[in-house]
Amino acid sequence: MGERLLKLKSSDGKEFEVPESVAKMSVTIRNLQEDLGDDVEDTPIPVPNVNSTILQKVIQFCTEHKDDPPLSEEQELERRNEEITGWDADFVKVDQNTLFDMILAANFLDIKPMLDLTCKSVANMIRGKSPEDIRKHFGIKNDFTPEEEDQIRRENEWCEDRP
C-alpha cells in the first residue's frame, strides 16, 4: 500500500488529495492533522486563507521540495546570496498578484522554504531601485510630504550606497 493521502480543501471549496509527506511540509497542516487524529483521511483539512489556484502552486512546491534535507543556519545564510535558478526560478515566474498570494499562503501555512523563495523573488525585484522606482513598480502611492521625505532621507543616510 502506498503513502497515505490527505485531503486539503481550499477557500473556494476545491479538494486536493495530497501525499502526507507533501502536506506535512506545512507546519500548519501538520498541526491540524495531529489535532484531527485518525479522522484525517475522511475529513478534508480546511485551508481557509488559500484559494485553489494558489493551493495548487503550494502543492507543486511541496511536491518538488519534500525530500530536501533541512538546511543549517549557515546554509540558509549562504543561500540568501545565491541566485534563484532551475525549477525554483520557473516557479516564481508568475504575475505580481500571484506571487504575493503565494507569499501569503506560504506564511499562513508555515512553509519556510517557500516563504523564503517567494520573498527573495520580491527582494530581487526591488534590489538596486530607488524608492520612486519601487513605488512605480508596485503601484504604491507616495503619501509623504517633501519635508517628510527629506527627514527620512537624512535619518537613513547611513545605509545609502555612497561612492
Side-chain angles (χ1 to χ4, degrees), residues 73-85:
E73 230 177 274
E74 189 176 300
Q75 289 170 315
E76 280 190 31
L77 288 173
E78 285 174 17
R79 184 172 275 182
R80 285 183 189 167
N81 296 321
E82 292 174 3
E83 227 174 281
I84 300 172
T85 58

Side-chain angles (χ1 to χ4, degrees), residues 29-40:
I29 290 174
R30 193 176 327 140
N31 291 341
L32 281 169
Q33 182 205 14
E34 288 169 9
D35 291 346
L36 289 170
D38 291 336
D39 295 338
V40 77

Side-chain angles (χ1 to χ4, degrees), residues 76 80 84 106 111-121:
E76 280 190 31
R80 285 183 189 167
I84 300 172
I111 305 170
K112 188 175 180 344
M114 183 175 169
L115 184 61
D116 289 347
L117 172 66
T118 51
C119 287
K120 182 177 183 176
S121 179

Side-chain angles (χ1 to χ4, degrees), residues 17 52 105:
E17 280 199 340
S52 58

Side-chain angles (χ1 to χ4, degrees), residues 1 3 9 20 23 27-28 31 38 41 54 67 69 74 99 114 121 123-124 131 135-136 142 160:
M1 189 172 163
E3 184 178 2
K9 188 173 184 177
E20 187 173 23
V27 174
T28 304
N31 291 341
D38 291 336
E41 286 185 50
I54 301 301
D67 296 323
E74 189 176 300
L99 183 59
M114 183 175 169
S121 179
N124 289 344
R135 281 191 203 99
K136 205 178 295 176
N142 182 3
E160 294 287 323

